[in-house]
Amino acid sequence: MSKEFEPNILGFLCNWCSYAGADLAGTSRMKYPSNLKSIRVMCSGRVDPSFVLEALRKGVDGVLIAGCHPGDCHYQSGNYKTNRRIKLLKKLLMELGVEPQRVRFEYVSASEGQKFASIVTEFVAEMKKLGPNPITVDKK
Amino acid sequence: MTQKVLKVKDNDVLGSTNEFLRHLLSSGKIQALLVPQSIPSKKVVYPVLIADPKKLHADIIAPVLPVATATVVSKITKVQPPSKPIGVVLRSCQIRALIELVKLNQASLTNIVLIGVDCPGTFPINTYAGFPEKKTPTHFIIDAITKKTNDAEQYLRSACKVCKDPIPTNADIILGFYGTDIEKEIIVEAHSEIGKDLLKDLPLEDEKEGNAREKAVKEIREEKDKKRAMFLKEKEGIKGIEKVAEFFDKCVNCHNCRQACPICYCKECLFDSSVFDAEAYKFIRRAENKGLFKMPSDALLFQLGRMNHMILSCVECGLCEQACPNTIPLMEVFIPAAENAQKEFEYHPGKDKTEKVPMIVYREDEFLEVGEK
């Protein structure tokens, strides 16, 4: 009997908004899949595209980067920069023939627990459909 | 723009360009000149900063680019720009790179007079240093410009074969080799006020009749565009992670390409840091998972990571490829990637110094839809 594929999702969550949003989802007892492992970063701008590449290489199936809404960045423009960096990364992944859907950037504020839960639910479902990440070295 | 003509005496192209540069330096309006020049005991032509006109024996045609001249200009101007103008002789790709460095706050154009030279291409440094033929590489290039022979083409670096634009843009002064018989005359153009002022008192003749230069420039650009388009079409094949991994198979993670790249300016590279280090058990776990684990494991991550960091500013000078000890034809991946990424962001590196690098620009419409596109 084959078990259903459970994707490994890594989330880089901004300390000031998305992490609090994830907290709110938890304290409000909203349900979302447990596939997400989160890393709190001080700003989504701290996420270098290389971290995403390294995560994909080390065996995660999808990477979610969540930051503040436009205009809300604690450091003025970190979220804008990440938005563009991820856009470039996805473009290059596409060039290299790796599914760009495995990387996702979203704006989640501290009050958007519901949005956070639904993004994760949707992302996990998408990764389940896409199947295991082909470029991993860390999983069997 | 003002166009003037430098007369070449006795078919001695280098002698006459050096005469011109010496006049420029002795005019007192610039305090030093950065020119490509070989110094004794060196086989290669390096950027040399010259203060004494008597010591100037440049070879501005020498088809070799040992180091990124843009990086050299960055070194000179980064801490404090010069207080009086200095002239720098640059090829088109290096002007593009310098403009990118200025945008990235790594160089200054204050008191820098850009003297661009038409570039028929350069040879790999090893080919140049141990040139197998009787004629010098410079003569090969002169013959290529005057269309006597096309033998130089076979020696060109692959980046030069498909050069984006061999004619300098954004220069104050351009020394033009196309659209003239350079064994008789060289075209000197001033594209800015300071350029005009510098040329004013030099022994140059007035503009030629006709538009031979314009026509020749258009022709050479069209020819290069065609070659580049063909190259891009041919190199579409490297897709899929297996193919990419195979392409970088010979990469030993030496980071030479990063060292040679004019755009890679970080003092402390992410890939030299301990960010990607791990404990022994993690390596062993990786080996156990698949039964084996290749070391060093970071080469592909470095290549793709570096590409992510610099590709939007890539000026396609090809110095990364020249620096590779294992002769990986990097341009086959970097030129198509640069082309596509820059198109996506509608960005033209080195074209306009007022244009901002894409990573610090935001448009309102980008904020509406994030994620899938």
Side-chain angles (χ1 to χ4, degrees):
Chain A
M1 203 181 91
S2 65
K3 263 203 284 179
E4 196 192 7
F5 164 63
E6 286 297 338
N8 241 329
I9 310 284
L10 181 67
F12 288 103
L13 309 181
C14 158
N15 173 60
W16 303 100
C17 52
S18 317
Y19 194 81
D23 243 4
L24 181 65
T27 47
S28 318
R29 304 188 171 214
M30 288 164 193
K31 269 195 182 163
Y32 64 87
S34 60
N35 304 50
L36 182 94
K37 280 104 187 159
S38 55
I39 294 178
R40 178 164 65 160
V41 286
M42 284 311 284
C43 177
S44 60
R46 177 64 183 92
V47 182
D48 191 281
S50 308
F51 299 172
V52 179
L53 288 170
E54 177 72 347
L56 288 173
R57 190 176 71 123
K58 284 200 172 151
V60 306
D61 299 297
V63 181
L64 170 71
I65 300 112
C68 299
H69 280 267
D72 285 353
C73 179
H74 191 75
Y75 310 98
Q76 311 292 341
S77 62
N79 53 349
Y80 299 165
K81 286 180 179 131
T82 303
N83 181 4
R84 288 218 145 195
R85 269 185 217 143
I86 298 304
K87 186 173 158 190
L88 173 63
L89 175 67
K90 283 155 100 55
K91 179 78 194 168
L92 288 179
L93 284 179
M94 215 146 53
E95 285 300 305
L96 301 173
V98 178
E99 300 108 340
Q101 304 94 293
R102 293 195 186 275
V103 186
R104 188 164 175 156
F105 179 63
E106 291 286 352
Y107 299 126
V108 178
S109 83
S111 61
E112 291 176 325
Q114 184 61 57
K115 184 178 176 187
F116 182 81
S118 61
I119 284 170
V120 176
T121 313
E122 196 190 305
F123 196 30
V124 169
E126 198 184 342
M127 289 305 109
K128 270 187 185 166
K129 227 191 273 169
L130 209 57
N133 168 15
I135 68 171
T136 167
V137 293
D138 264 18
K139 282 202 320 198
K140 276 179 199 174
Chain B
M1 184 192 79
T2 10
Q3 202 180 68
K4 295 200 171 185
V5 168
L6 171 70
K7 284 279 176 209
V8 175
K9 281 171 219 137
D10 313 322
N11 288 4
D12 183 6
V13 182
L14 289 184
S16 306
T17 52
N18 282 339
E19 198 62 25
F20 167 80
L21 292 172
R22 272 186 218 117
H23 276 297
L24 194 62
L25 187 52
S26 347
S27 71
K29 287 175 184 163
I30 56 173
Q31 56 177 346
L33 263 178
L34 185 74
V35 293
Q37 178 163 322
S38 74
I39 50 175
S41 84
K42 285 257 165 74
K43 274 191 166 171
V44 178
V45 169
Y46 276 95
V48 176
L49 192 61
I50 294 182
D52 180 358
K54 280 192 233 102
K55 301 267 181 183
L56 192 143
H57 305 283
D59 187 345
I60 60 167
I61 296 175
V64 67
L65 190 63
V67 293
T69 326
T71 310
V72 173
V73 179
S74 159
K75 268 240 146 59
I76 296 172
T77 60
K78 194 167 62 176
V79 177
Q80 188 189 44
S83 54
K84 266 177 75 184
I86 63 171
V88 294
V89 176
L90 296 173
R91 298 169 186 281
S92 56
C93 61
Q94 293 307 303
I95 295 186
R96 294 198 292 269
L98 179 58
I99 287 183
E100 286 308 291
L101 287 173
V102 170
K103 289 185 207 166
L104 296 163
N105 292 326
Q106 298 305 311
S108 163
L109 287 179
T110 309
N111 281 325
I112 293 293
V113 180
L114 295 176
I115 303 168
V117 287
D118 281 2
C119 179
T122 59
F123 302 167
I125 185 164
N126 278 329
T127 312
Y128 183 90
F131 201 58
E133 319 243 0
K134 262 190 193 159
K135 266 195 310 183
T136 64
T138 302
H139 279 108
F140 260 79
I141 291 296
I142 291 176
D143 284 352
I145 300 170
T146 52
K147 290 187 177 150
K148 271 185 207 141
T149 66
N150 202 16
D151 294 345
E153 183 80 14
Q154 59 181 316
Y155 293 114
L156 289 186
R157 295 191 294 127
S158 60
C160 296
K161 280 183 188 155
V162 294
C163 177
K164 242 178 162 177
D165 187 1
I167 313 295
T169 44
N170 284 312
D172 296 298
I173 295 172
I174 291 178
L175 296 177
F177 306 142
Y178 291 112
T180 176
D181 177 2
I182 63 160
E183 287 177 316
K184 301 219 162 51
E185 293 176 333
I186 291 168
I187 293 170
V188 184
E189 293 174 348
H191 285 265
S192 68
E193 285 311 311
I194 181 150
K196 273 181 205 161
D197 181 53
L198 284 171
L199 294 190
K200 214 166 49 189
D201 306 320
L202 298 184
L204 298 169
E205 288 182 16
D206 278 337
E207 192 180 352
K208 274 198 301 192
E209 292 291 308
N211 56 356
R213 166 78 177 163
E214 220 172 289
K215 220 178 109 196
V217 165
K218 202 175 152 224
E219 234 168 63
I220 191 87
R221 279 184 172 151
E222 273 169 8
E223 188 194 318
K224 287 287 184 190
D225 279 351
K226 230 184 255 167
K227 279 191 183 155
R228 197 164 175 277
M230 254 169 65
F231 178 84
L232 283 170
K233 217 171 156 194
E234 268 171 39
K235 301 304 171 198
E236 257 178 10
I238 307 162
K239 280 212 166 147
I241 197 69
E242 286 92 16
K243 284 233 176 90
V244 175
E246 202 182 302
F247 181 85
F248 288 113
D249 200 23
K250 286 199 285 177
C251 178
V252 291
N253 214 7
C254 70
H255 298 184
N256 263 0
C257 44
R258 178 201 68 197
Q259 222 55 40
C261 178
I263 304 300
C264 269
Y265 65 83
C266 294
K267 282 263 175 270
E268 210 171 293
C269 179
L270 179 67
F271 302 101
D272 286 341
S273 71
S274 53
V275 169
F276 302 113
D277 289 354
E279 299 82 348
Y281 77 88
K282 287 187 180 157
F283 288 99
I284 295 158
R285 194 181 61 202
R286 283 178 211 165
E288 282 172 351
N289 280 340
K290 284 192 172 163
L292 74 160
F293 183 64
K294 180 215 153 214
M295 301 283 291
S297 60
D298 293 347
L300 193 57
L301 177 74
F302 162 71
Q303 289 292 350
L304 300 185
R306 190 180 92 85
M307 186 186 276
N308 248 292
H309 288 169
M310 52 60 72
I311 199 74
L312 286 173
S313 289
C314 180
V315 295
E316 300 173 20
C317 65
L319 285 176
C320 49
E321 186 176 296
Q322 176 171 280
C324 183
N326 296 334
T327 59
I328 302 175
L330 287 165
M331 296 323 279
E332 292 183 11
V333 162
F334 275 74
I335 289 182
E339 169 79 13
N340 290 318
Q342 290 162 11
K343 210 186 266 165
E344 178 86 8
F345 284 87
E346 291 161 23
Y347 182 66
H348 308 279
K351 192 179 176 193
D352 182 356
K353 36 189 174 196
T354 58
E355 196 179 6
K356 285 185 179 148
V357 286
M359 283 304 135
I360 58 164
V361 182
Y362 327 104
R363 285 195 324 263
E364 223 169 274
D365 60 315
E366 310 180 271
F367 302 132
L368 301 174
E369 222 180 305
V370 204
E372 303 312 306
K373 239 186 202 177

